[in-house]
C-alpha cells in the first residue's frame, strides 16, 4: 500500500449529500477481474448526464482533494469505488460524514478520508468554487489541514493513521495474530 | 449484566481486542459471488497465503449472468470472463460453488438461507452490501469490500470497530395492504439514508414477530439503505421451523442443542441500546419512493414533499428534475413502462405467490413490460410446481431465470433510457436500473397492481 504523509493540492468541490457508490462507479463498469482500469470511469454517468458536473470542468482536472457534504460513499459495498477515485488521482476526500463500508474500504487502500463540521465544509466548497487555484495542504502526521491562511485540526483513528503513514495493510496485522486465532478456534471450534 | 443480541454475538466472536485498535472479529461464514471475489483470490495467490477455512465458504453466480432461458451462453465477453474466473478459483481452491447446473444457483442472499448455510448467532460476510439480509436469522451479517473478503479468507477474521446498537420497534397494526417492504421504507423515510450509520439495528415488536422468514429478510435486507452496518431479528419458533432439515443446518442431537443456544441469543429483558426508535404503523398503508434514494419515500396515498420540506435542497431539486415529477403531486396514476419483481429484497417464493395472486386472471397492461425474476433456482422450481409460472405467462409477464437482473443492470436486463419502472428492488439511485432510467421502489403487491393498470396504483385500485 502507498504511504500517505502530506498532500498539497487544488480542491474539487462536489457540493451534494449522499454521494453513493453507484454514482462513483456505475455497475456496468464492475465486470473486471482486476483492481485496475476504473479511474477513467469515475462518476461516468453524472459526467455524461450533466455537462456542468464538476469533473467536466477543466479547471478542476488536477485536484487531488475532493470535498463533498454528508454521507459520502453510501449504498453498494463495491470497493471498486475506492479504486476508481484513487486511480482518477484523488488522494483525500473531505466530508461531513462517510458511510461505514466505504470508510473501511478506503482505509484499507490508503485513501485518506477526513471529516469536518458542515460549516467548514461549506466554507471549503465556497472557496473552491470561487477559486479553482486555491491550494490546500493535508498533513496526516499532524492531523491538520491548512488553506486560505487558516489551519484546521482533524480527528483520525490511531491504528489507521499508523497504517497509512507506513503503507501497511490490515492483512499483515491479522496474520501476525495467528496464535490468537488458533486459540479462538481451539476454544470455539471451527465454525 | 443484561445484554442485547448484537453485543452477545459480537462478544463471543472477539479474537483480539486492544485499546486504540479496531477489534479482531472471527467470521464464521463467507459468501462469494463473481463481482467482488476475483481480486481477493488474486491477492491471496500473489502473497502465497492459503485459505484458512474453505469449508466455511460457499459461492454462487448472480450479478453478471443473463436471466434468459439460454443463459449458459454469456454473450458479454467481460462478464463471461468474470464468471469463468470464479469457477476456476473455486475449482483450484476446493470451495463449493452453486453454479447454474446445481439447482441451487441464485442471488447469494437467497441461496444462503435456503441452504441453511445462514444460521443464528453466526458472523457472516459477503462482498455485497445486502448481506444484512441474513440478519433475519439472528446472525450478525454485514457487507464488506473485497479487501475484507481477502482478510477473512486468509485469517477467518476481519478488523472492525465495535458498532453502536439501535433498537427499532414497529408498533401497532397496519392496514391489509401493508407489507414488510412498506415497513422498511417507512423506517428509512423517517430516519434517513444515513440514519443508521455506525449501527447494527435489532428489529423488535409484535409486528416483526408476526412476520414470515421471507418478510423478515426483506426488512433486514434494506437495513443498509439507512446506512446501518447490519440489521437482525432474534431467532424464534418461526426461525427454527424455517431452518429445520435444511442442507447445512445441524441434525439430530446437534439440532436439539443448537435450538437451545439460538433461542438463548434473544436480547435480555431490559438490555440497553445506544439508540432506539418506535415506528408507529397503526393503520399504515403501502409506501413508494418518488426520488433518487430510498429515503425519498412516501405513503402511496400521500403527495410528494415540498422542496423546502427539509433535507438538502439541491438534492431534492435534482431528484425532481431526474424523476420528472413535481412537489405536491400524487404518484397514483403516473404512467409506467416497466415493472420488475425480483432481487435479494423481494425475489423469494412468498413474493412470487403474492404477485401471482394479483396477476391471476388479469393481464399486464399493453404499455408495460413486466419481468419476474426468481431469487434462486429453488424459488423458480417451487413457483413452477405451484403453477405460478403459468399464471405469469397468461398475464403476459416474462418469468425469467434466477439472478440479480434489473436490480443493478449489470447484466443485459436494463430499463431503457428515460423509461419509468416500478420495482421491488432496494435502490432508486440515479441510473441504477440502467443509465437515465427512473425507479420507484415498492412492494411486490404494489408492483403487480401497477403493472396491471399500466400506471402507479395500489391493490385497492384493482377492480
Amino acid at each position: 500500500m502507498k504511504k500517505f504523509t502530506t498532500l498539497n493540492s487544488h480542491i474539487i468541490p462536489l457540493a451534494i449529500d449522499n454521494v453513493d457508490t453507484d454514482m462513483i462507479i456505475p455497475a456496468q463498469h464492475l465486470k473486471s477481474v482486476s483492481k485496475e482500469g476504473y479511474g477513467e470511469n469515475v462518476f461516468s454517468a453524472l459526467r455524461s448526464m450533466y455537462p456542468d458536473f464538476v469533473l467536466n470542468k477543466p479547471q478542476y482536472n488536477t485536484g487531488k482533494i475532493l470535498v463533498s457534504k454528508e454521507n459520502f460513499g453510501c449504498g453498494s459495498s463495491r470497493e471498486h469505488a475506492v479504486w476508481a477515485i484513487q486511480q482518477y488521482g484523488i488522494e483525500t476526500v473531505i466530508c461531513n460524514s462517510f458511510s461505514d463500508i466505504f470508510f473501511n474500504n478506503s482505509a484499507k487502500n490508503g485513501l485518506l478520508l477526513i471529516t469536518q463540521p458542515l460549516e467548514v465544509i461549506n466554507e471549503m466548497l465556497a472557496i473552491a468554487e470561487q477559486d479553482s487555484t486555491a491550494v490546500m495542504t493535508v498533513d496526516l502526521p499532524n492531523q491538520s489541514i491548512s488553506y486560505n491562511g487558516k489551519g484546521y485540526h482533524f480527528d483520525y483513528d490511531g491504528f489507521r493513521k499508523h497504517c497509512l503513514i507506513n503503507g501497511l495493510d490490515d492483512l499483515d496485522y491479522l496474520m501476525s495474530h495467528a496464535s490468537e486465532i488458533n486459540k479462538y478456534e481451539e476454544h470455539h471450534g471451527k465454525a | 449484566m443484561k445484554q442485547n443480541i448484537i453485543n452477545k454475538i459480537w462478544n463471543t466472536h472477539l479474537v483480539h481486542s486492544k485499546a486504540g485498535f479496531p477489534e479482531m472479529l472471527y467470521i464464521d461464514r463467507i459468501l462469494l459471488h463473481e463481482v467482488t471475489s476475483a481480486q481477493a483470490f488474486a491477492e491471496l495467490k500473489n502473497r502465497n497465503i492459503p485459505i484458512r477455512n474453505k469449508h466455511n465458504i460457499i459461492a454462487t453466480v448472480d450479478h453478471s449472468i443473463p436471466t434468459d432461458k439460454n443463459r449458459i451462453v454469456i454473450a458479454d465477453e467481460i462478464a463471461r470472463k468474470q464468471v469463468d474466473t470464479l469457477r476456476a478459483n473455486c475449482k483450484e481452491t476446493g470451495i463449493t460453488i452453486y453454479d447454474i447446473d446445481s439447482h441451487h444457483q441464485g442471488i447469494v442472499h437467497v441461496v444462503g438461507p435456503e441452504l441453511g448455510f445462514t444460521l443464528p448467532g453466526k458472523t457472516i460476510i459477503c462482498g455485497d452490501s445486502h448481506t444484512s439480509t441474513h440478519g433475519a436469522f439472528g446472525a450478525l451479517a454485514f457487507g464488506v469490500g473485497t479487501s475484507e473478503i481477502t482478510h477473512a479468507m486468509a485469517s477467518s477474521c476481519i478488523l472492525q470497530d465495535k458498532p453502536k446498537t439501535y433498537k427499532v420497534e414497529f408498533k401497532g397494526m397496519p392496514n391489509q395492504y401493508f407489507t414488510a417492504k412498506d415497513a422498511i421504507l417507512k423506517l428509512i423515510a423517517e430516519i434517513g439514508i444515513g440514519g443508521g450509520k455506525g449501527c447494527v439495528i435489532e428489529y423488535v415488536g409484535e409486528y416483526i414477530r408476526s412476520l414470515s422468514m421471507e418478510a423478515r429478510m426483506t426488512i433486514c435486507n434494506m437495513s443498509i439503505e439507512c446506512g446501518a452496518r447490519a440489521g437482525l431479528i432474534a431467532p424464534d419458533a418461526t426461525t427454527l421451523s424455517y431452518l429445520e432439515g435444511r442442507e447445512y443446518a445441524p441434525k439430530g442431537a446437534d439440532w436439539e442443542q443448537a435450538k437451545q443456544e439460538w433461542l438463548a441469543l434473544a436480547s435480555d429483558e431490559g438490555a440497553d441500546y445506544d439508540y432506539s426508535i418506535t415506528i408507529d404503523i397503526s393503520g399504515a398503508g403501502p409506501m413508494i419512493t418518488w426520488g433518487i434514494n430510498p429515503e425519498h419515500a412516501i405513503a402511496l396515498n400521500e403527495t410528494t414533499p415540498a422542496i423546502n420540506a427539509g433535507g438538502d435542497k439541491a438534492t431534492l431539486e435534482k431528484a425532481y428534475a431526474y424523476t420528472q415529477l413535481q412537489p405536491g403531486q400524487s404518484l397514483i396514476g403516473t404512467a409506467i413502462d416497466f415493472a420488475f419483481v425480483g432481487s435479494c429484497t423481494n425475489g423469494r417464493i412468498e413474493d412470487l405467490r403474492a404477485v401471482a395472486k394479483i396477476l391471476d386472471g388479469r393481464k399486464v397492461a399493453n404499455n408495460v413490460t413486466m419481468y419476474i425474476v426468481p431469487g434462486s433456482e429453488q424459488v423458480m422450481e417451487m413457483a413452477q410446481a405451484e403453477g405460478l409460472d403459468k399464471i405469469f405467462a397468461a398475464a403476459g409477464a416474462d418469468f425469467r431465470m434466477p439472478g440479480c437482473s434489473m436490480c443493478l443492470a449489470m447484466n443485459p436486463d436494463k430499463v431503457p433510457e428515460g423509461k419509468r419502472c416500478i420495482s421491488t428492488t432496494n435502490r432508486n439511485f440515479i441510473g441504477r436500473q440502467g443509465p437515465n432510467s427512473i425507479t420507484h421502489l415498492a412492494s411486490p403487491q404494489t408492483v403487480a397492481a401497477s403493472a396491471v393498470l399500466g400506471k402507479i396504483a395500489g391493490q385497492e385500485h384493482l377492480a
Side-chain angles (χ1 to χ4, degrees), chain B residues 394-459:
Chain B
D398 189 355
F399 184 52
R400 301 176 71 87
M401 302 297 282
C404 296
S405 185
M406 244 178 209
C407 176
L408 85 168
M410 257 193 83
N411 76 348
D413 305 347
K414 290 178 177 58
V415 176
E417 283 218 35
K419 299 293 183 190
R420 190 178 296 275
C421 180
I422 187 160
S423 179
T424 66
T425 54
N426 38 55
R427 288 183 179 139
N428 50 339
F429 292 159
I430 287 175
R432 172 81 178 180
Q433 290 193 278
N436 273 311
S437 63
I438 301 166
T439 296
H440 297 280
L441 304 177
S443 71
Q445 289 87 336
T446 302
V447 170
S450 302
V452 167
L453 294 170
K455 55 196 181 188
I456 293 176
Q459 282 183 83

Side-chain angles (χ1 to χ4, degrees), chain A residues 31 79 97 100 169 182 185, chain B residues 26 47 52 146-147 197-198:
Chain A
K31 288 178 196 147
E79 199 160 312
S97 66
D100 288 323
D169 74 18
N182 291 338
E185 287 182 343
Chain B
Y26 195 81
R47 293 168 74 149
R52 189 176 174 94
T146 301
S147 292
K197 245 182 334 207

Side-chain angles (χ1 to χ4, degrees), chain A residues 118-170:
Chain A
L118 207 50
E119 56 270 25
V120 175
I121 296 285
N122 286 332
E123 202 180 300
M124 289 177 178
L125 288 168
I127 286 167
E129 278 160 9
Q130 280 159 25
D131 178 9
S132 62
T133 65
V135 171
M136 181 184 279
T137 301
V138 174
D139 179 340
L140 177 59
N142 291 308
Q143 294 176 222
S144 71
I145 303 171
S146 52
Y147 76 104
N148 201 31
K150 293 182 188 172
Y152 293 89
H153 170 81
F154 62 89
D155 291 329
Y156 205 75
D157 166 83
F159 172 74
R160 291 189 178 90
K161 178 176 168 180
H162 173 79
C163 290
L164 273 181
I165 290 174
N166 295 292
L168 298 175
D169 74 18
D170 291 4

Side-chain angles (χ1 to χ4, degrees), chain B residues 4 16 47 58 89 114 117 128 210 214 221 227 240 248 270 272 298 305 331 342 345 361 394 399 429 431 440:
Chain B
N4 62 49
H16 180 70
R47 293 168 74 149
I58 61 169
N89 280 329
E114 71 188 17
F117 188 72
D128 184 287
S210 74
E214 283 88 350
N221 172 276
L240 299 180
Y248 287 87
D272 284 335
I298 54 173
L331 293 188
T345 312
F399 184 52
F429 292 159
H440 297 280

Side-chain angles (χ1 to χ4, degrees), chain A residues 54-121:
Chain A
V54 65
L55 292 188
N56 288 337
K57 296 178 179 170
Q59 66 268 36
Y60 294 109
N61 266 348
T62 56
K64 293 179 178 173
I65 299 173
L66 181 75
V67 178
S68 188
K69 292 169 84 176
E70 299 255 23
N71 199 30
F72 189 92
C74 60
S76 159
S77 63
R78 58 189 70 160
E79 199 160 312
H80 313 64
V82 176
W83 304 333
I85 285 176
Q86 288 182 308
Q87 287 161 22
Y88 179 79
I90 293 165
E91 297 178 26
T92 297
V93 183
I94 305 177
C95 286
N96 186 233
S97 66
F98 296 93
S99 91
D100 288 323
I101 304 178
F102 184 80
F103 185 83
N104 274 330
N105 288 343
S106 295
K108 288 168 190 4
N109 287 276
L111 178 66
L112 177 63
L113 305 186
I114 297 173
T115 54
Q116 286 292 291
L118 207 50
E119 56 270 25
V120 175
I121 296 285

Side-chain angles (χ1 to χ4, degrees), chain B residues 12 171 277-278 286 298 312:
Chain B
T12 56
K171 204 175 122 196
I277 190 173
T278 301
I298 54 173
D312 181 40

